[in-house]
Amino acid sequence: MSTGIRRRHEQKQNLLEKKENRENREIDGDLEKDASLLRPLHWKIIAVYYLLLIFGASFLHKCLPEPKDPNQEETQFSEKRAVGILQELSDYGWKPAGSYNCEELTRNRILKELNDIRKANENVNGLRFDVDTQYVSGCFDIPAHDTEGMNICYRNVSNVVARLGTGDKKDQISVLLNCHYDSWPTSNAGSDDLSSCALMLELIRLYSENPHLLNHDVIFLFNGAEESSLLAAHGFITQHSWRHEIRAFINLEASGSGGRELLFQAGPANQWLLNSYLEAAVHPHCSVIGQEVFQSGVYPGDTDFRIFRDHGRVPGLDLAFVQNGYWWHTEFDTAERITKGSLQRAGENVYSTLNHLLNSPYLENPAEYADRKTVFFDFLGLFVVIYPLSFAHFINLTAILVIFGLVSHRFYTKSFLTFLALRDYILTVLTIALVLKAMTFMSLFTYGALRWYTRHWLALVAYGLPSVWAGLSVQGLLCARLDPKIRGDYGSALDLIHLTVVSGILLIFTYYDIASGFLFALLLIPVVKSLASYFGAFPSEFFFNYLGPLIIQNLSACPHLNTLLTLLVSLPGCAMAIYTTEMLLSIFIPIMGRSSYNPEPVVSFFVAFSASCIVLSLGGLVAKSQNSRPRNEAGLLEIIYNLLGVVLVTLTILYVFASFWPSPYRFDEKYPTAKRTQFFHVNQMFYDRNNQLTVNETRFYAISRDYRGAEDIPFVKSDPEYTGLQCHHENNPWCEVPFLFPTKGRLNDRNIRVRTVDERLNFKHPVKILGISKKHGVESDGKGNIEYSFSVIGTGQISVYIIPDSTWVITNTSVTVPNEPQENMFLYFTCSTPNNICEWMFKITIKKTTQTPSDEKPLLVGISSHHLHGPEMQSQSIKNMISKIKENRIHSPEWTVTASAWNVDQVYKYF
């Protein structure tokens, strides 16, 4: 009995399977005959189209003009002439503020060049050419930005200033241009910032030959202490007699080595200043995205722009070279590595902007020009688009209302199909996010961070390829589950859902007055295709009675036209998304080499943004493509298998690449991409509360600046004597690491290793800290306070760490008055003297936070005296280490390390 039932059931199942297979074959036959569906050829064309878009955006992003010779009329900026003085200044070697290379060689060479230009043009009719030198001292504080904030005092830092104008008397209106000629302690400063100084010297030559262009005075500031925390700019803008006439400034900086300079800050307010650049720059490269990011404080800049803005109350522009950031603040920042054409491009932009500004009415009556906020960006570097934010709001809201109207009508007329499209859209987005999460995790697990550090295209392989592959394949599987007769309407609904999501994002940007929403506005241009479909389906009078049906008929029947129109309307949005991603990757990938945070989510997001824009804009075409996959092979299990296949294939490809390039770093004399490290050789002397010397050791600190950590440094990994940090003082937030600036927040425990060494440093002038006086008092609330007077003797660069016990807070200092009581404080003292020895006197007041009896010695003070130049800068141990690095990195990528290293004398005492 049971056997007969089983046999009949099997026969029934076989009949059902045959029927389903017959239906599938019929569907396949119908699909083959349906001329309106996209064939594989169309998708090949789409793939080639987007590849050309990617390569085109990359080419335009890196495109630079040819360097030019001076013309006979001396009206043309010449990189070929400017690079001569640049090379000479770069060849002076490391030049930190206060060093012989900075104060004597570099400064005097700039002075000589200025005097030579002045002498050569002394007979030019109407030219007024003044040169001044300044040595300044002062104190100020820098709020927390990329450091934890600190208070600074400086003494005898140098500035060289030139002022050009016409007539006998100085104009009451002037524009300031600024560069700095000092360097990071272990850098030649070829790009940062001698390239800007060479640019300014070339501009001085041009204006000296053409004084008729000087409708107002131009002040050229060559400042000698920027890397020491913006000191010389502060001295000029707060103390120099010429500061009062300055109406605007242009700050020239570098966080990379050449490439297209980027306008990344403007203001505060004074839109007329930004307009001068947008209207006049020959090769503009700017985006309101950069301005809003920097001005929001999310990624604050720490250039001299901050000083002129905050202490001079002057509006300005901040221009910087941002490409090739691998060499910033390293031994590789030399003049010969600056990309040819970079100086020509920047020079022409600054020259034309300055000429426009000097001839505009803005400077004389800036208050008359309304401070309108604008949307601005350069489209693929070809031209600048600029329009008022109010007009942007009108366009945005119009597009949003149109899209919401279309999608509402779609939900009303075809609710089931639209909800189905919404579900599948969400599933596609979740799929892309899940694949990205899996890839970021597997990349770290199998290889470690920064796989793409040298070869940026590996980021596209690691994150772009799986995003596009997973998104399109899941869309294809979901479409295969649908009846072919409804796939056309389903595809239109999918396009509308995508536009609705983008318009929702744009609505948020519009509500908060964020001009960067222009990028999402461009992604809404495909709404014209949806409108054409809508009016084709629901024609009205004359125009739509004829044109509308024709459009919808051709779109439905002709896959060539459908494909072409989809690519055309999505071109502006997708092109800008790809261009923005290219720009962000070229800027941020080198920055990831000096960030201790996991870089994979950041880079994957940049890549996924463009990939998602492409995939989600193609959803309608996927639905209207040939898809012969049977419905029973398009279930959840097939989607999971597909995603696993995407991840495994991508990982396999990356594994093959990893076998060729096992290290993310590469040493090439022309284009090195090295691991950034910091080394301190430190004498440490720690005293207890009884003034007994408890620690008297010499230690070697090894610090990795990137996420791969200190264990990634070859000789640290192989040396068991290197250990993690163990703080001697429990309440010391800096854990006795001799930081030059308060940058502990940039580092994790994995980034620092330390070991004791035998080589004791014998300094000619050891660091000293003396407690001059200690006065007890009582506050108005009955709580005790103590006022200390200290004397510190050390090198020209001294870091001071003020650390009260847990029941005390810092309420006042002679350097600055805190806005509120501080649990600890970082002070930085710097001066310029021939023997590199300075003495500082300062006062600290601390207050008891409880009514309990006062401790006898509640204040811990640490002093790190940094030897940043001179014969005592580097010990023999440091020299041997650097020699070993240079010898090995030629042959081994793992040894491709660049080291900032110097000696430090450190003392901690209780008072």
Side-chain angles (χ1 to χ4, degrees):
M1 184 71 178
S2 61
T3 304
I5 293 173
R6 190 185 306 112
R7 186 178 295 113
R8 285 195 298 273
H9 178 71
E10 290 175 354
Q11 291 173 349
K12 185 177 180 180
Q13 285 292 109
N14 290 333
L15 288 173
L16 288 173
E17 290 179 4
K18 289 178 181 179
K19 182 179 179 182
E20 186 173 357
N21 290 333
R22 186 169 60 253
E23 290 176 351
N24 287 332
R25 284 194 298 272
E26 291 174 358
I27 292 173
D28 292 345
D30 293 339
L31 291 174
E32 288 294 330
K33 297 175 184 177
D34 192 344
S36 67
L37 298 179
L38 273 69
R39 277 17 185 206
L41 176 62
H42 294 101
W43 284 102
K44 292 176 183 177
I45 293 172
I46 291 170
V48 171
Y49 169 82
Y50 279 109
L51 285 174
L52 289 175
L53 205 56
I54 292 170
F55 286 116
S58 178
F59 171 78
L60 291 172
H61 178 60
K62 298 173 182 176
C63 191
L64 295 171
E66 287 294 321
K68 297 177 181 178
D69 290 307
N71 62 357
Q72 189 174 358
E73 296 80 15
E74 289 292 349
T75 58
Q76 175 176 282
F77 186 93
S78 170
E79 175 180 318
K80 290 186 176 180
R81 180 166 57 186
V83 80
I85 184 68
L86 170 59
Q87 186 68 59
E88 189 176 343
L89 295 173
S90 174
D91 289 345
Y92 287 145
W94 303 347
K95 47 187 76 67
S99 66
Y100 177 81
N101 288 354
C102 178
E103 305 300 334
E104 295 295 327
L105 297 181
T106 307
R107 174 182 165 278
N108 288 342
R109 183 63 185 87
I110 291 173
L111 268 173
K112 180 180 183 302
E113 190 72 11
L114 289 173
N115 289 322
D116 288 346
I117 298 172
R118 181 170 59 176
K119 185 176 181 180
N121 295 279
E122 59 186 358
N123 295 323
V124 174
N125 186 33
L127 175 66
R128 175 169 34 82
F129 192 143
D130 299 318
V131 177
D132 187 30
T133 57
Q134 182 190 30
Y135 293 92
V136 282
S137 304
C139 294
F140 67 104
D141 60 277
I142 292 184
H145 49 290
D146 58 340
T147 67
E148 290 85 49
M150 59 179 168
N151 304 285
I152 301 171
C153 281
Y154 58 93
R155 186 187 303 153
N156 205 37
V157 300
S158 61
N159 283 319
V160 175
V161 196
R163 181 167 184 162
L164 273 68
T166 56
D168 297 331
K169 294 183 179 180
K170 294 181 176 63
D171 196 343
Q172 294 304 304
I173 297 173
S174 64
V175 178
L176 172 70
L177 266 70
N178 175 70
C179 74
H180 67 89
Y181 57 83
D182 67 315
S183 76
W184 180 251
T186 54
S187 171
N188 285 36
S191 182
D192 182 22
D193 190 32
L194 293 176
S195 59
S196 299
C197 294
L199 185 153
M200 284 169 47
L201 288 169
E202 178 66 11
L203 291 182
I204 291 172
R205 290 190 190 94
L206 297 178
Y207 282 119
S208 298
E209 293 279 354
N210 302 277
H212 63 277
L213 298 174
L214 297 169
N215 287 350
H216 298 290
D217 285 8
V218 181
I219 299 172
F220 296 87
L221 171 60
F222 301 83
N223 85 67
E226 191 268 355
E227 301 294 359
S228 304
S229 292
L230 321 178
L231 313 177
H234 180 269
F236 174 84
I237 205 63
T238 59
Q239 300 179 47
H240 200 282
S241 61
W242 293 349
R243 70 188 186 278
H244 300 292
E245 296 95 26
I246 297 172
R247 296 287 179 86
F249 71 88
I250 300 176
N251 184 53
L252 303 175
E253 255 295 351
S255 60
S257 191
R260 296 192 301 161
E261 85 289 349
L262 174 67
L263 172 63
F264 66 96
Q265 286 191 97
N270 295 284
Q271 185 66 35
W272 53 266
L273 184 57
L274 176 61
N275 289 344
S276 294
Y277 174 84
L278 297 175
E279 294 167 7
V282 182
H283 318 282
H285 178 33
C286 56
S287 174
V288 71
I289 296 175
Q291 174 171 293
E292 290 188 328
V293 168
F294 278 96
Q295 291 189 351
S296 69
V298 175
Y299 193 97
D302 55 348
T303 69
D304 288 325
F305 180 95
R306 174 191 296 275
I307 298 299
F308 299 135
R309 180 194 65 194
D310 295 350
H311 295 273
R313 306 299 179 188
V314 183
L317 303 175
D318 212 359
L319 292 163
F321 291 120
V322 294
Q323 303 302 313
N324 308 318
Y326 300 105
W327 312 323
W328 179 74
H329 283 194
T330 73
E331 64 194 278
F332 303 121
D333 185 10
T334 56
E336 55 269 17
R337 288 195 175 91
I338 299 174
T339 311
K340 289 184 178 179
S342 304
L343 213 56
Q344 186 67 44
R345 186 184 191 282
E348 290 178 356
N349 279 341
V350 175
Y351 189 40
S352 60
T353 300
L354 188 54
N355 286 338
H356 183 277
L357 193 58
L358 293 172
N359 285 280
S360 72
Y362 297 144
L363 291 176
E364 296 179 2
N365 300 294
E368 293 183 8
Y369 298 91
D371 195 30
R372 291 190 308 175
K373 191 173 183 181
T374 58
V375 177
F376 62 91
F377 58 92
D378 66 278
F379 186 79
L380 303 183
L382 299 174
F383 55 87
V384 169
V385 179
I386 176 172
Y387 50 93
L389 185 60
S390 57
F391 182 70
H393 286 347
F394 172 75
I395 295 295
N396 295 349
L397 292 174
T398 301
I400 290 168
L401 289 174
V402 169
I403 291 168
F404 281 3
L406 289 174
V407 78
S408 298
H409 183 270
R410 178 74 65 165
F411 271 110
Y412 179 76
T413 56
K414 299 180 180 180
S415 57
F416 173 76
L417 201 60
T418 309
F419 275 111
L420 192 64
L422 175 61
R423 182 205 67 180
D424 291 351
Y425 184 89
I426 295 172
L427 284 174
T428 302
V429 172
L430 291 176
T431 297
I432 294 173
L434 183 64
V435 168
L436 279 176
K437 182 67 176 176
M439 286 304 304
T440 54
F441 173 78
M442 293 302 294
S443 291
L444 286 174
F445 180 75
T446 59
Y447 185 81
L450 303 171
R451 176 195 305 267
W452 29 258
Y453 187 62
T454 295
R455 302 163 186 88
H456 294 189
W457 56 269
L458 280 176
L460 303 182
V461 176
Y463 302 120
L465 174 64
S467 297
V468 173
W469 188 357
L472 291 178
S473 61
V474 166
Q475 284 181 339
L477 286 169
L478 293 172
C479 288
R481 299 170 62 86
L482 302 175
D483 189 318
K485 296 178 182 179
I486 66 170
R487 289 182 189 175
D489 288 337
Y490 168 83
S492 299
L494 205 58
D495 286 338
L496 265 181
I497 294 297
H498 174 57
L499 292 174
T500 305
V501 171
V502 175
S503 62
I505 298 171
L506 180 60
L507 182 61
I508 296 172
F509 276 67
T510 304
Y511 178 80
Y512 287 103
D513 273 344
I514 303 174
S516 302
F518 79 87
L519 196 55
F520 297 97
L522 291 174
L523 292 170
L524 292 184
I525 292 177
V527 72
V528 298
K529 181 184 172 185
S530 298
L531 281 171
S533 299
Y534 174 80
F535 286 113
F538 300 94
S540 57
E541 296 299 326
F542 175 74
F543 180 79
F544 294 116
N545 277 333
Y546 296 96
L547 186 58
L550 181 63
I551 292 174
I552 191 66
Q553 182 180 359
N554 285 330
L555 283 176
S556 302
C558 181
H560 310 303
L561 179 61
N562 191 12
T563 302
L564 177 63
L565 186 59
T566 299
L567 296 180
L568 283 177
V569 296
S570 63
L571 173 63
C574 288
M576 274 305 296
I578 293 170
Y579 179 69
T580 303
T581 295
E582 168 68 24
M583 180 177 67
L584 292 173
L585 289 178
S586 65
I587 294 173
F588 279 91
I589 282 182
I591 289 176
M592 295 296 103
R594 52 184 190 265
S595 171
S596 62
Y597 301 102
N598 182 1
E600 300 299 326
V602 176
V603 172
S604 67
F605 174 79
F606 290 157
V607 175
F609 173 71
S610 290
S612 299
C613 289
I614 293 172
V615 170
L616 298 174
S617 68
L618 295 175
L621 293 183
V622 173
K624 297 169 187 176
S625 299
Q626 279 188 342
N627 192 336
S628 58
R629 183 183 290 272
R631 296 183 190 179
N632 59 355
E633 294 182 11
L636 178 62
L637 196 60
E638 282 73 22
I639 292 176
I640 295 174
Y641 287 156
N642 190 275
L643 297 184
L644 288 175
V646 169
V647 172
L648 289 175
V649 170
T650 306
L651 286 174
T652 302
I653 294 172
L654 292 176
Y655 179 79
V656 172
F657 288 141
S659 64
F660 288 103
W661 305 298
S663 171
Y665 315 110
R666 178 186 65 188
F667 182 77
D668 179 281
E669 195 62 48
K670 292 183 179 180
Y671 203 95
T673 54
K675 180 181 180 68
R676 290 176 175 270
T677 58
Q678 173 79 62
F679 296 93
F680 298 119
H681 192 169
V682 192
N683 279 355
Q684 291 183 321
M685 301 175 68
F686 302 155
Y687 294 83
D688 63 15
R689 295 181 193 269
N690 297 318
N691 205 32
Q692 298 297 312
L693 183 62
T694 57
V695 173
N696 187 10
E697 295 181 343
T698 301
R699 292 188 173 128
F700 207 82
Y701 286 84
I703 301 174
S704 167
R705 291 293 177 184
D706 63 35
Y707 183 74
R708 293 175 71 91
E711 294 291 336
D712 196 49
I713 304 172
F715 55 87
V716 173
K717 183 178 181 179
S718 61
D719 188 346
E721 293 191 25
Y722 276 102
T723 61
L725 280 182
Q726 294 181 349
C727 302
H728 183 81
H729 305 95
E730 292 183 0
N731 63 331
N732 187 351
W734 297 284
C735 199
E736 294 82 47
V737 179
F739 290 107
L740 178 64
F741 302 128
T743 53
K744 178 65 170 69
R746 295 181 186 175
L747 303 172
N748 300 313
D749 290 342
R750 62 188 288 153
N751 294 97
I752 307 175
R753 292 293 181 267
V754 60
R755 59 159 296 176
T756 57
V757 291
D758 296 329
E759 184 186 359
R760 183 73 179 178
L761 301 174
N762 297 311
F763 296 114
K764 187 176 180 180
H765 300 283
V767 65
K768 296 179 181 179
I769 176 169
L770 304 174
I772 305 299
S773 65
K774 180 179 179 181
K775 299 178 182 179
H776 290 266
V778 179
E779 299 279 339
S780 58
D781 56 5
K783 297 176 182 177
N785 66 25
I786 305 176
E787 182 185 90
Y788 294 92
S789 294
F790 293 105
S791 170
V792 174
I793 301 174
T795 62
Q797 295 79 28
I798 300 173
S799 304
V800 181
Y801 323 102
I802 310 296
I803 311 164
D805 285 349
S806 58
T807 57
W808 292 80
V809 291
I810 303 167
T811 58
N812 196 12
T813 76
S814 59
V815 177
T816 185
V817 179
N819 293 327
E820 56 185 27
Q822 304 290 312
E823 294 181 357
N824 52 69
M825 185 174 285
F826 191 105
L827 306 179
Y828 182 67
F829 298 121
T830 180
C831 71
S832 176
T833 61
N835 60 359
N836 197 30
I837 299 297
C838 295
E839 180 179 7
W840 293 92
M841 309 284 289
F842 63 97
K843 294 181 179 181
I844 299 289
T845 301
I846 61 175
K847 176 185 175 182
K848 187 78 170 175
T849 58
T850 65
Q851 296 288 356
T852 57
S854 297
D855 304 303
E856 184 179 351
K857 289 187 176 182
L859 184 64
L860 177 65
V861 179
I863 308 291
S864 290
S865 180
H866 299 267
H867 292 258
L868 301 186
H869 56 86
E872 294 184 332
M873 178 181 178
Q874 294 185 337
S875 65
Q876 192 60 45
S877 296
I878 289 178
K879 292 176 181 177
N880 292 342
M881 176 197 70
I882 292 176
S883 177
K884 188 175 182 181
I885 288 172
K886 290 182 177 180
E887 179 183 347
N888 287 305
R889 69 188 181 190
I890 298 174
H891 312 289
S892 174
E894 289 78 9
W895 276 86
T896 303
V897 172
T898 180
S900 289
W902 58 77
N903 298 334
V904 184
D905 198 9
Q906 187 183 74
V907 174
Y908 271 87
K909 279 187 176 183
Y910 281 97
F911 294 92

